């Protein structure tokens, strides 16, 4: 303790002995080193903060901040309080613990409203709570779509009247809060309409109105009468064009280098499947046809004819005459008739034309360069073969060479390089400042220690000069007779040790052996 106090007073005296200019420089240097040490400690020992939740509502953000304060966890707020940052090593534990407590609740209340038991709930209250919960759940689901920051959903349930004409159909309205600079496509708008319509009983997609916070009606151009198949066929067309474009682009990137060409493909597809039934009739030649019926008719007839006889007139009267039998004749005939019916030769052919048949394909390619430096003919042949071009089908390929405008890319590259250079310079300056501060601190500490040692030596010399007289006798405190005798004996021993060191050494050895 005495040493520390003596060191403190020595430093104070040393500092007060300096001139005012040196005092100012010393204080400035110490302050600079202290500030640098503080910044370095904040920079190196500050915990890395990562987003816990983003795009929070004000109520959810307030509830989460309250929980963080209760647990004494450091946090930061960004994006006007909609984003909460916490230490990286605690983000997953906090998400799980907050989720167990139902945070964040999201846009409005959901079906957790029914977790609260109330014995006095009426049917009307339950119906209203159901609509509120359904609206909240739909808003939470819609908010998960890319580009949508928040959403509100309003549902009107259908009402049944006494007559059919008095029925009121279900309807819904959706308000979207889009992220800055973001927009949603017509396909995504249609998907939101179908999502809401499928969640509400009796709601048709055409009765869903969708708009954004800027007042733009997003569902105005939707056509729900078209079949789902048309959208699928459009996706098939885009996929086919993308595949052909990818094949050509990869080939050109290998030949010319990345970024040296641009490829666009347009395909006209027969997206409707068809069936053709072809029937061919051919006449029967000879007996090549197929017998469907055969009839054979045989007619046999026999006939016998007798010639009539007249009585004889030459015989005498009274004399009987005998008549001879009349001559007879017989005939027979046979008739055979055969009828064969043949079926007409008929050939039926069923031809099925699947969907996706290519009607026409056009490819356009632009190459960075000039017609003098690019072999357009060879490129055209390569692109035609890669795309499967058929001239008889009406396909066409156009390959042009022109210099690309890379001014924007160069500016972006320069800006990126400048930003990287600035970051590098900042890092270098920070490290150089830290190193210089450390060197200054080391030099300052070493000089301070050296000054303290020198000051102590000078002070000791001054004290010795002040206490020792001209005869070499110390006047600070008079010696007693015993102390004088001891001093005289010690001086005599020292004299003998200097004059006769061997004898003194032998005497000391003898004493040691005796002991």
């Amino acid at each position: 303790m005495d040493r520390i106090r003596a060191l403190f007073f020595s430093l104070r005296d040393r500092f007060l002995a300096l001139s005012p200019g040196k005092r100012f420089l010393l204080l400035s240097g110490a302050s600079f080193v202290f500030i640098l040490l503080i910044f370095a400690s904040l920079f190196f020992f500050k915990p890395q903060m990562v987003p816990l939740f983003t795009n929070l509502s004000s109520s959810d953000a307030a509830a989460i901040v309250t929980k963080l304060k209760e647990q004494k966890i450091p946090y930061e707020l960004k994006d006007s309080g909609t984003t909460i940052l916490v230490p990286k090593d605690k983000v997953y534990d906090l998400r799980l613990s907050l989720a167990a407590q139902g945070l964040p609740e999201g846009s409005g209340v959901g079906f957790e409203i029914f977790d609260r038991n109330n014995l006095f709930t009426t049917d009307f209250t339950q119906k209203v709570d159901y609509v509120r919960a359904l609206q909240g759940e739909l808003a939470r689901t819609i908010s998960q779509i890319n580009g949508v920051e928040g959403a509100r959903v309003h549902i009107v349930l259908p009402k049944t009247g006494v007559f059919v004409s008095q029925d009121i159909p279900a309807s819904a309205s959706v308000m979207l809060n889009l992220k800055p600079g973001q927009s949603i496509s017509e396909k995504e708008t249609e998907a939101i309409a179908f999502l809401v319509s499928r969640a509400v009983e009796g709601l048709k997609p055409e009765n869903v109105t969708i708009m954004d916070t800027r007042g733009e009606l997003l569902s105005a151009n939707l056509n729900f009468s078209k079949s789902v198949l048309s959208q699928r066929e459009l996706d098939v067309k885009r996929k086919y064009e993308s595949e052909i474009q990818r094949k050509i682009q990869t080939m050109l990137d290998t030949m010319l280098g990345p970024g040296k060409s641009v490829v666009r493909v347009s395909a006209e597809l027969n997206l409707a499947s068809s069936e053709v039934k072809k029937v061919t009739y051919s006449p029967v030649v000879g007996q090549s046809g197929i017998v469907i019926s055969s009839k054979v008719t045989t007619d046999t007839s026999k006939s016998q004819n007798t010639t009539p006889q007249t009585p004889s007139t030459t015989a005498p009267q009274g004399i009987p005459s005998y008549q001879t039998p009349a001559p007879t004749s017989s005939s027979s005939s046979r008739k055979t008739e055969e009828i064969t019916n043949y079926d007409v030769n008929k050939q039926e052919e069923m031809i099925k034309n699947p969907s996706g048949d290519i009607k026409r394909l056009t490819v356009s390619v632009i190459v960075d360069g000039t017609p003098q430096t690019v072999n357009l003919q060879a490129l055209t042949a390569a692109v035609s073969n890669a795309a499967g071009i058929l001239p008889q089908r009406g396909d066409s390929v156009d390959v042009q060479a022109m210099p690309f405008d890379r001014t924007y890319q160069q500016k972006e590259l320069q800006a990126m390089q400048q930003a990287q250079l600035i970051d590098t310079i900042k890092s270098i300056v920070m490290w150089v400042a830290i190193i210089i501060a450390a060197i200054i601190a080391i030099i300052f500490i070493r000089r301070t220690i050296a000054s303290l040692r020198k000051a102590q030596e000078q002070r000791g010399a001054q004290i010795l000069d002040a206490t020792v007289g001209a005869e070499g006798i110390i006047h600070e405190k008079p010696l007693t007779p015993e102390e004088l005798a001891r001093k005289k004996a010690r001086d005599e021993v020292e004299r003998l040790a200097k004059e006769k060191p061997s004898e003194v050494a032998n005497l000391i050895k003898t004493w040691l052996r005796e002991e």
Side-chain angles (χ1 to χ4, degrees), residues 484-497:
L484 291 174
R486 291 176 181 175
K487 184 177 183 302
K488 186 175 180 180
R490 183 173 63 251
D491 293 340
E492 185 66 21
V493 171
E494 289 178 355
R495 185 182 63 79
L496 291 174

Side-chain angles (χ1 to χ4, degrees), residues 227-272:
S227 62
V228 181
L229 183 60
S230 62
Q231 184 64 39
R232 293 180 181 176
E233 291 173 347
L234 184 59
D235 293 338
V236 171
K237 179 178 181 296
R238 292 174 179 171
K239 185 177 180 180
Y240 177 76
E241 292 175 348
S242 300
E243 180 64 21
I244 297 297
Q245 179 176 332
R246 184 190 63 82
K247 289 169 61 178
I248 299 175
Q249 188 68 65
T250 53
M251 179 186 69
L252 294 178
D253 289 345
T254 305
M255 296 171 59
L256 306 175
K260 295 292 185 179
S261 61
V262 177
V263 180
R264 293 294 180 268
V265 177
S266 177
E268 184 179 352
L269 304 178
N270 182 13
L271 301 177

Side-chain angles (χ1 to χ4, degrees), residues 447-462:
R447 288 187 176 180
T448 303
I449 293 174
S451 300
L452 290 175
R453 289 179 178 175
K454 187 176 181 180
Q456 289 178 354
E457 292 176 357
Q458 291 178 355
R459 188 174 181 181
Q462 292 176 359

Side-chain angles (χ1 to χ4, degrees), residues 256 365-384 397-402:
L256 306 175
V365 178
I366 299 178
V367 181
D368 186 14
T370 60
Q372 292 76 20
T373 58
V374 178
N375 190 350
L376 297 179
Q377 185 176 0
L379 287 178
T380 302
V383 171
S384 300
V397 176
D398 184 22
V399 180
Q400 299 291 336
M402 59 184 64

Side-chain angles (χ1 to χ4, degrees), residues 51-225:
L52 177 63
F53 294 108
T54 59
N55 300 325
L56 293 171
S57 61
S58 56
S59 59
D60 286 339
I64 293 174
V65 167
T66 302
K67 295 295 182 181
L68 294 177
K69 289 181 179 178
E70 292 176 357
Q71 300 180 21
K72 297 181 180 180
I73 296 176
Y75 66 91
E76 294 180 4
L77 298 178
K78 291 183 64 178
D79 301 332
S80 302
T82 60
T83 301
I84 300 178
L85 305 179
V86 295
K88 185 177 180 180
D89 56 343
K90 298 181 179 180
V91 60
Y92 298 111
D93 294 336
L94 288 175
R95 286 178 182 174
L96 293 176
S97 62
L98 293 174
Q101 302 175 27
L103 292 175
E105 294 182 354
S107 301
V109 66
F111 282 108
E112 66 272 6
I113 192 174
F114 294 105
D115 295 338
R116 299 188 296 268
N117 296 324
N118 191 352
L119 299 177
F120 302 100
T121 303
T122 62
D123 293 339
F124 176 77
T125 305
Q126 285 187 346
K127 187 175 181 180
V128 172
D129 290 342
Y130 173 75
V131 175
R132 290 178 57 197
L134 186 58
Q135 292 175 164
E137 294 293 339
L138 286 173
R140 293 175 183 177
T141 304
I142 296 172
S143 299
Q144 301 300 319
I145 298 176
N146 188 21
V148 179
E149 186 172 355
R152 288 184 62 89
V153 180
H154 303 278
I155 298 174
V156 178
L157 296 179
K159 292 183 180 180
T160 305
V162 179
F163 301 100
V164 178
S165 59
Q166 296 178 350
D167 292 346
I168 300 177
S171 60
S173 300
V174 180
M175 173 74 74
L176 300 179
N177 183 17
L178 303 179
K179 295 180 181 179
Q182 296 285 336
S183 62
I184 60 174
S185 62
E186 182 177 342
K187 184 178 179 181
E188 293 172 331
T189 305
E190 184 178 352
I192 293 174
F194 275 101
L195 172 68
V196 177
S197 66
R198 296 300 185 269
V200 181
E201 181 181 1
L203 179 59
K204 297 181 180 180
E206 53 266 23
N207 292 336
V208 179
T209 302
I210 304 173
M211 63 179 299
D212 58 10
T213 53
R214 296 171 296 183
E216 183 179 356
L217 187 60
L218 303 177
S219 60
N221 298 325
L222 297 181
N223 182 15
F224 296 101
S225 61

Side-chain angles (χ1 to χ4, degrees), residues 24-39:
F24 176 76
L25 292 176
L26 182 61
L27 291 175
S28 300
S31 302
F32 178 72
V33 172
F34 182 71
I35 293 173
L36 281 180
L37 292 176
I38 292 176
F39 277 106

